[in-house]
Amino acid sequence: MPTPPPALAAPTTPDPLQAPPLRWGVLGPGSIANAFALAVREGTRSQVVAVGSRDADRASNFARRHGVARSYGSYDALVGDDGVDAVYVATPHSEHREHALLALAAGKPVLVEKAFARNLAETDEVLGAARASGLFAGEAMWSRYLPQYDVLRRTIAEGTLGDVVLVQADHGQRLWPDGPQRLSDPALAGGSLLDLGVYPIAFTDHVLGVLDDLAARGTLSPEGVDVTVGVTARRGETVARMTSTMAAATPCTAFVGGTAARIDLAGRFYQPTTLTLVGPDGTVLDTWEPEHRSHGFRYQVAEVARALEAGRTEPWSVPWAATRRVMTVMDEARRQVGVVYPGE
């Protein structure tokens, strides 16, 4: 009987519409929160029922835009809402620790936007509070919840690529110097690494786990945040290259190269995108297309709902150990490049 040709593994990610409903409170009505609210409404059975901001008008405008029942002019009022099952923290990186702890202290499970915090010490403080209280805490690294990351992981585990020798991912957008002010502000934990570089680093962590021999080089803005960063590292005999920049638009592609085949992720690799299995001679062996290319946040929303129903305190797709590993890499990269945030 002939041997079947190499193929990508089939995804096992459950349908988000089959997850139990959850009532969400949004803490911080910024641009990323808009994408979250759309995904909740369009792709899940959950609802955003409340929003909180220090600016009552911003909260009210967000509520009107997304059909949210209650808006608050303070974060304390949001986390104290008895009708909220879980809190989504969507404030700047510099505020993640404070706001995650606020939600946990109010007895609310929390999903925190990536990067989870400014550094590992803050990350451990939040995870420690979640552990002590028995509450769920998870990182909203939405890419790792997508079906394509399940396909990637399972294909590698099945040995289809042979020995993995090289992992590479890049993320560059033209967001500086004329983009969002927060990216230039050290007080808000600005720079490319925590905003953009976290995607290639999280992708590499998904494939390899713990990294060794990390070397980082980069350029800094006049304000002292990283504009462009390149990180190389190793896991055994596998080399990883991760780059980010907020000064130029790059292909935003990724690949995992093995001795028997490689997997290419089309740009932007961190969004729902095409996976291509390529043989050593360049022959396309298989392709996979996502069922949904919009509202990709639906998968993390659904996984949190399933986790809470099962009594889990961390997500399966981004366990606490993975959040800590990614933050450890970013801490070391910032140390080598020379980026220090106020108060660290």
Short mmCIF file of all heavy atoms in Angstrom, two decimals, residues 71-120:
data_model
loop_
_atom_site.label_atom_id
_atom_site.label_comp_id
_atom_site.label_asym_id
_atom_site.label_seq_id
_atom_site.Cartn_x
_atom_site.Cartn_y
_atom_site.Cartn_z
N SER A 71 -22.19 51.50 31.31
CA SER A 71 -20.87 52.14 31.20
C SER A 71 -20.56 52.85 32.50
O SER A 71 -21.46 53.38 33.17
CB SER A 71 -20.82 53.13 30.03
OG SER A 71 -21.67 54.24 30.26
N TYR A 72 -19.27 52.84 32.85
CA TYR A 72 -18.83 53.41 34.13
C TYR A 72 -17.66 54.37 33.89
O TYR A 72 -16.82 54.13 33.02
CB TYR A 72 -18.39 52.31 35.09
CG TYR A 72 -19.46 51.32 35.44
CD1 TYR A 72 -19.46 50.03 34.90
CD2 TYR A 72 -20.49 51.65 36.33
CE1 TYR A 72 -20.45 49.10 35.23
CE2 TYR A 72 -21.48 50.74 36.67
CZ TYR A 72 -21.45 49.47 36.11
OH TYR A 72 -22.43 48.56 36.43
N GLY A 73 -17.62 55.40 34.73
CA GLY A 73 -16.53 56.36 34.68
C GLY A 73 -15.40 56.02 35.63
O GLY A 73 -14.58 56.89 35.94
N SER A 74 -15.34 54.76 36.08
CA SER A 74 -14.23 54.32 36.92
C SER A 74 -14.03 52.82 36.74
O SER A 74 -14.98 52.08 36.44
CB SER A 74 -14.47 54.64 38.40
OG SER A 74 -15.36 53.70 38.99
N TYR A 75 -12.81 52.37 36.95
CA TYR A 75 -12.51 50.94 36.85
C TYR A 75 -13.06 50.19 38.07
O TYR A 75 -13.47 49.03 37.95
CB TYR A 75 -11.01 50.73 36.72
CG TYR A 75 -10.40 51.37 35.50
CD1 TYR A 75 -9.17 52.03 35.58
CD2 TYR A 75 -11.04 51.32 34.27
CE1 TYR A 75 -8.61 52.62 34.45
CE2 TYR A 75 -10.49 51.89 33.14
CZ TYR A 75 -9.26 52.55 33.24
OH TYR A 75 -8.71 53.13 32.12
N ASP A 76 -13.06 50.83 39.22
CA ASP A 76 -13.60 50.19 40.42
C ASP A 76 -15.06 49.82 40.24
O ASP A 76 -15.50 48.73 40.64
CB ASP A 76 -13.46 51.12 41.64
CG ASP A 76 -12.03 51.24 42.12
OD1 ASP A 76 -11.43 50.19 42.43
OD2 ASP A 76 -11.51 52.36 42.18
N ALA A 77 -15.82 50.72 39.62
CA ALA A 77 -17.24 50.44 39.40
C ALA A 77 -17.42 49.27 38.44
O ALA A 77 -18.31 48.43 38.62
CB ALA A 77 -17.94 51.69 38.87
N LEU A 78 -16.57 49.20 37.42
CA LEU A 78 -16.68 48.09 36.46
C LEU A 78 -16.44 46.75 37.13
O LEU A 78 -17.25 45.82 37.00
CB LEU A 78 -15.67 48.28 35.32
CG LEU A 78 -15.61 47.08 34.36
CD1 LEU A 78 -16.85 47.00 33.49
CD2 LEU A 78 -14.35 47.10 33.52
N VAL A 79 -15.32 46.62 37.86
CA VAL A 79 -15.01 45.32 38.45
C VAL A 79 -15.97 44.97 39.58
O VAL A 79 -16.10 43.80 39.95
CB VAL A 79 -13.54 45.26 38.95
CG1 VAL A 79 -12.58 45.52 37.80
CG2 VAL A 79 -13.30 46.23 40.09
N GLY A 80 -16.67 45.97 40.12
CA GLY A 80 -17.64 45.71 41.17
C GLY A 80 -19.02 45.35 40.66
O GLY A 80 -19.93 45.09 41.46
N ASP A 81 -19.21 45.34 39.34
CA ASP A 81 -20.51 45.03 38.74
C ASP A 81 -20.80 43.54 38.92
O ASP A 81 -20.10 42.68 38.37
CB ASP A 81 -20.47 45.39 37.25
CG ASP A 81 -21.83 45.25 36.57
OD1 ASP A 81 -22.61 44.36 36.95
OD2 ASP A 81 -22.08 46.02 35.62
N ASP A 82 -21.87 43.22 39.66
CA ASP A 82 -22.22 41.82 39.93
C ASP A 82 -22.68 41.09 38.67
O ASP A 82 -22.72 39.85 38.66
CB ASP A 82 -23.32 41.74 40.99
CG ASP A 82 -22.83 42.16 42.37
OD1 ASP A 82 -21.61 42.07 42.61
OD2 ASP A 82 -23.67 42.58 43.19
N GLY A 83 -23.03 41.82 37.62
CA GLY A 83 -23.47 41.18 36.39
C GLY A 83 -22.35 40.85 35.43
O GLY A 83 -22.60 40.36 34.33
N VAL A 84 -21.11 41.10 35.84
CA VAL A 84 -19.93 40.79 35.02
C VAL A 84 -19.31 39.48 35.48
O VAL A 84 -18.98 39.33 36.66
CB VAL A 84 -18.89 41.94 35.10
CG1 VAL A 84 -17.55 41.51 34.49
CG2 VAL A 84 -19.43 43.18 34.38
N ASP A 85 -19.15 38.52 34.56
CA ASP A 85 -18.54 37.23 34.88
C ASP A 85 -17.02 37.26 34.78
O ASP A 85 -16.33 36.52 35.48
CB ASP A 85 -19.06 36.15 33.93
CG ASP A 85 -20.55 35.93 34.03
OD1 ASP A 85 -21.08 35.98 35.15
OD2 ASP A 85 -21.20 35.73 32.98
N ALA A 86 -16.48 38.06 33.84
CA ALA A 86 -15.03 38.10 33.61
C ALA A 86 -14.67 39.48 33.07
O ALA A 86 -15.49 40.15 32.41
CB ALA A 86 -14.60 37.03 32.62
N VAL A 87 -13.44 39.91 33.35
CA VAL A 87 -12.96 41.24 32.95
C VAL A 87 -11.87 41.09 31.91
O VAL A 87 -10.93 40.30 32.07
CB VAL A 87 -12.44 42.03 34.17
CG1 VAL A 87 -11.75 43.32 33.73
CG2 VAL A 87 -13.59 42.34 35.13
N TYR A 88 -11.99 41.88 30.85
CA TYR A 88 -10.97 41.97 29.81
C TYR A 88 -10.22 43.28 29.99
O TYR A 88 -10.81 44.37 29.92
CB TYR A 88 -11.64 41.91 28.44
CG TYR A 88 -10.76 42.24 27.26
CD1 TYR A 88 -9.65 41.45 26.94
CD2 TYR A 88 -11.05 43.33 26.44
CE1 TYR A 88 -8.86 41.76 25.83
CE2 TYR A 88 -10.28 43.64 25.34
CZ TYR A 88 -9.17 42.86 25.04
OH TYR A 88 -8.39 43.16 23.95
N VAL A 89 -8.91 43.18 30.26
CA VAL A 89 -8.08 44.36 30.51
C VAL A 89 -7.43 44.80 29.19
O VAL A 89 -6.64 44.06 28.60
CB VAL A 89 -7.00 44.07 31.56
CG1 VAL A 89 -6.03 45.26 31.68
CG2 VAL A 89 -7.64 43.78 32.91
N ALA A 90 -7.78 46.01 28.74
CA ALA A 90 -7.31 46.49 27.43
C ALA A 90 -6.66 47.86 27.54
O ALA A 90 -6.68 48.64 26.59
CB ALA A 90 -8.49 46.54 26.46
N THR A 91 -6.08 48.16 28.69
CA THR A 91 -5.37 49.42 28.90
C THR A 91 -3.92 49.28 28.41
O THR A 91 -3.49 48.20 28.03
CB THR A 91 -5.42 49.78 30.40
OG1 THR A 91 -5.09 48.62 31.18
CG2 THR A 91 -6.80 50.26 30.80
N PRO A 92 -3.12 50.37 28.42
CA PRO A 92 -1.72 50.26 28.01
C PRO A 92 -0.95 49.27 28.88
O PRO A 92 -1.31 48.99 30.02
CB PRO A 92 -1.20 51.69 28.18
CG PRO A 92 -2.40 52.55 28.00
CD PRO A 92 -3.53 51.78 28.62
N HIS A 93 0.17 48.75 28.33
CA HIS A 93 0.98 47.75 29.03
C HIS A 93 1.35 48.18 30.44
O HIS A 93 1.38 47.36 31.37
CB HIS A 93 2.28 47.49 28.26
CG HIS A 93 2.08 47.12 26.82
ND1 HIS A 93 2.68 47.81 25.80
CD2 HIS A 93 1.35 46.15 26.25
CE1 HIS A 93 2.32 47.27 24.65
NE2 HIS A 93 1.52 46.27 24.89
N SER A 94 1.61 49.46 30.59
CA SER A 94 2.06 49.98 31.89
C SER A 94 1.00 49.82 32.97
O SER A 94 1.32 49.85 34.17
CB SER A 94 2.44 51.46 31.75
OG SER A 94 1.34 52.20 31.21
N GLU A 95 -0.27 49.65 32.57
CA GLU A 95 -1.36 49.57 33.53
C GLU A 95 -1.86 48.15 33.76
O GLU A 95 -2.75 47.94 34.60
CB GLU A 95 -2.54 50.43 33.04
CG GLU A 95 -2.17 51.84 32.62
CD GLU A 95 -1.55 52.63 33.75
OE1 GLU A 95 -2.10 52.58 34.86
OE2 GLU A 95 -0.52 53.29 33.52
N HIS A 96 -1.36 47.17 33.02
CA HIS A 96 -1.91 45.82 33.08
C HIS A 96 -1.85 45.22 34.48
O HIS A 96 -2.82 44.62 34.95
CB HIS A 96 -1.19 44.91 32.09
CG HIS A 96 -1.57 45.17 30.67
ND1 HIS A 96 -1.07 44.44 29.61
CD2 HIS A 96 -2.42 46.08 30.12
CE1 HIS A 96 -1.59 44.90 28.49
NE2 HIS A 96 -2.39 45.90 28.76
N ARG A 97 -0.70 45.35 35.14
CA ARG A 97 -0.57 44.79 36.48
C ARG A 97 -1.63 45.36 37.42
O ARG A 97 -2.36 44.60 38.08
CB ARG A 97 0.83 45.08 37.04
CG ARG A 97 0.97 44.80 38.54
CD ARG A 97 2.20 45.48 39.12
NE ARG A 97 2.13 45.52 40.58
CZ ARG A 97 1.49 46.46 41.28
NH1 ARG A 97 0.86 47.44 40.64
NH2 ARG A 97 1.49 46.43 42.60
N GLU A 98 -1.72 46.69 37.49
CA GLU A 98 -2.66 47.34 38.41
C GLU A 98 -4.10 46.92 38.13
O GLU A 98 -4.87 46.60 39.05
CB GLU A 98 -2.53 48.86 38.28
CG GLU A 98 -3.53 49.63 39.13
CD GLU A 98 -3.49 51.12 38.86
OE1 GLU A 98 -2.54 51.60 38.20
OE2 GLU A 98 -4.43 51.82 39.32
N HIS A 99 -4.47 46.88 36.86
CA HIS A 99 -5.87 46.62 36.53
C HIS A 99 -6.22 45.15 36.63
O HIS A 99 -7.36 44.80 37.00
CB HIS A 99 -6.17 47.18 35.14
CG HIS A 99 -6.04 48.66 35.07
ND1 HIS A 99 -5.71 49.35 33.93
CD2 HIS A 99 -6.19 49.62 36.05
CE1 HIS A 99 -5.66 50.64 34.18
NE2 HIS A 99 -5.95 50.82 35.46
N ALA A 100 -5.27 44.27 36.33
CA ALA A 100 -5.52 42.83 36.54
C ALA A 100 -5.69 42.54 38.03
O ALA A 100 -6.59 41.79 38.43
CB ALA A 100 -4.38 42.01 35.96
N LEU A 101 -4.84 43.12 38.86
CA LEU A 101 -4.96 42.93 40.31
C LEU A 101 -6.27 43.50 40.84
O LEU A 101 -6.88 42.94 41.75
CB LEU A 101 -3.77 43.58 41.02
CG LEU A 101 -2.41 42.90 40.81
CD1 LEU A 101 -1.30 43.74 41.45
CD2 LEU A 101 -2.41 41.48 41.38
N LEU A 102 -6.72 44.62 40.28
CA LEU A 102 -7.98 45.22 40.69
C LEU A 102 -9.14 44.26 40.42
O LEU A 102 -10.01 44.06 41.28
CB LEU A 102 -8.19 46.53 39.92
CG LEU A 102 -9.46 47.32 40.25
CD1 LEU A 102 -9.36 47.94 41.64
CD2 LEU A 102 -9.68 48.42 39.20
N ALA A 103 -9.14 43.66 39.23
CA ALA A 103 -10.21 42.72 38.89
C ALA A 103 -10.16 41.48 39.77
O ALA A 103 -11.20 41.02 40.28
CB ALA A 103 -10.09 42.33 37.41
N LEU A 104 -8.97 40.94 39.98
CA LEU A 104 -8.84 39.74 40.81
C LEU A 104 -9.27 40.02 42.25
O LEU A 104 -9.93 39.19 42.89
CB LEU A 104 -7.40 39.23 40.76
CG LEU A 104 -6.94 38.64 39.43
CD1 LEU A 104 -5.42 38.44 39.41
CD2 LEU A 104 -7.66 37.33 39.13
N ALA A 105 -8.91 41.19 42.76
CA ALA A 105 -9.30 41.55 44.13
C ALA A 105 -10.81 41.66 44.28
O ALA A 105 -11.35 41.44 45.37
CB ALA A 105 -8.64 42.87 44.53
N ALA A 106 -11.49 41.96 43.17
CA ALA A 106 -12.95 42.04 43.18
C ALA A 106 -13.59 40.68 42.93
O ALA A 106 -14.82 40.59 42.83
CB ALA A 106 -13.41 43.04 42.13
N GLY A 107 -12.76 39.64 42.82
CA GLY A 107 -13.28 38.30 42.61
C GLY A 107 -13.61 37.97 41.18
O GLY A 107 -14.34 37.01 40.91
N LYS A 108 -13.04 38.74 40.24
CA LYS A 108 -13.36 38.54 38.83
C LYS A 108 -12.21 37.83 38.10
O LYS A 108 -11.05 38.24 38.20
CB LYS A 108 -13.61 39.88 38.15
CG LYS A 108 -14.84 40.63 38.65
CD LYS A 108 -16.13 39.91 38.29
CE LYS A 108 -17.35 40.81 38.43
NZ LYS A 108 -17.64 41.21 39.82
N PRO A 109 -12.51 36.77 37.34
CA PRO A 109 -11.51 36.21 36.42
C PRO A 109 -11.09 37.29 35.43
O PRO A 109 -11.88 38.20 35.11
CB PRO A 109 -12.27 35.08 35.72
CG PRO A 109 -13.45 34.79 36.58
CD PRO A 109 -13.81 36.09 37.25
N VAL A 110 -9.86 37.18 34.91
CA VAL A 110 -9.35 38.26 34.09
C VAL A 110 -8.59 37.74 32.88
O VAL A 110 -7.84 36.76 32.96
CB VAL A 110 -8.45 39.19 34.95
CG1 VAL A 110 -7.19 38.46 35.43
CG2 VAL A 110 -8.09 40.46 34.21
N LEU A 111 -8.84 38.38 31.74
CA LEU A 111 -8.09 38.16 30.50
C LEU A 111 -7.35 39.44 30.20
O LEU A 111 -7.98 40.49 30.02
CB LEU A 111 -9.04 37.79 29.36
CG LEU A 111 -8.40 37.53 27.99
CD1 LEU A 111 -7.55 36.27 28.01
CD2 LEU A 111 -9.47 37.43 26.90
N VAL A 112 -6.02 39.38 30.17
CA VAL A 112 -5.19 40.58 30.06
C VAL A 112 -4.55 40.64 28.68
O VAL A 112 -3.90 39.68 28.24
CB VAL A 112 -4.09 40.58 31.15
CG1 VAL A 112 -3.30 41.89 31.10
CG2 VAL A 112 -4.70 40.37 32.52
N GLU A 113 -4.70 41.79 28.02
CA GLU A 113 -4.10 41.94 26.69
C GLU A 113 -2.59 41.69 26.75
O GLU A 113 -1.93 41.95 27.75
CB GLU A 113 -4.35 43.36 26.16
CG GLU A 113 -5.36 43.44 25.04
CD GLU A 113 -5.11 42.45 23.91
OE1 GLU A 113 -3.95 42.27 23.48
OE2 GLU A 113 -6.09 41.84 23.46
N LYS A 114 -2.08 41.19 25.64
CA LYS A 114 -0.63 41.05 25.53
C LYS A 114 -0.03 42.43 25.26
O LYS A 114 -0.72 43.31 24.71
CB LYS A 114 -0.27 40.04 24.43
CG LYS A 114 -1.00 40.23 23.10
CD LYS A 114 -0.39 41.33 22.28
CE LYS A 114 -1.31 41.77 21.19
NZ LYS A 114 -1.17 43.20 20.91
N ALA A 115 1.21 42.66 25.66
CA ALA A 115 1.98 41.84 26.57
C ALA A 115 1.33 41.86 27.95
O ALA A 115 0.77 42.87 28.37
CB ALA A 115 3.41 42.34 26.66
N PHE A 116 1.40 40.73 28.66
CA PHE A 116 0.65 40.53 29.90
C PHE A 116 0.95 41.60 30.93
O PHE A 116 0.07 42.01 31.69
CB PHE A 116 1.00 39.15 30.45
CG PHE A 116 0.11 38.69 31.58
CD1 PHE A 116 -1.16 38.20 31.33
CD2 PHE A 116 0.56 38.75 32.89
CE1 PHE A 116 -1.98 37.78 32.36
CE2 PHE A 116 -0.25 38.32 33.93
CZ PHE A 116 -1.53 37.83 33.67
N ALA A 117 2.19 42.06 30.97
CA ALA A 117 2.61 43.13 31.90
C ALA A 117 3.86 43.76 31.33
O ALA A 117 4.28 43.45 30.21
CB ALA A 117 2.85 42.55 33.29
N ARG A 118 4.49 44.65 32.10
CA ARG A 118 5.73 45.27 31.62
C ARG A 118 6.90 44.32 31.71
O ARG A 118 7.84 44.39 30.91
CB ARG A 118 6.05 46.53 32.44
CG ARG A 118 5.10 47.68 32.25
CD ARG A 118 5.63 48.93 32.91
NE ARG A 118 5.92 48.74 34.34
CZ ARG A 118 6.48 49.66 35.11
NH1 ARG A 118 6.84 50.83 34.60
NH2 ARG A 118 6.68 49.42 36.40
N ASN A 119 6.89 43.43 32.71
CA ASN A 119 8.05 42.59 32.96
C ASN A 119 7.63 41.34 33.72
O ASN A 119 6.46 41.17 34.09
CB ASN A 119 9.13 43.37 33.73
CG ASN A 119 8.55 44.03 34.98
OD1 ASN A 119 7.85 43.40 35.77
ND2 ASN A 119 8.86 45.31 35.17
N LEU A 120 8.59 40.46 33.95
CA LEU A 120 8.30 39.19 34.61
C LEU A 120 7.87 39.38 36.06
O LEU A 120 6.99 38.66 36.55
CB LEU A 120 9.52 38.28 34.54
CG LEU A 120 9.34 36.88 35.13
CD1 LEU A 120 8.25 36.10 34.41
CD2 LEU A 120 10.67 36.11 35.10
#
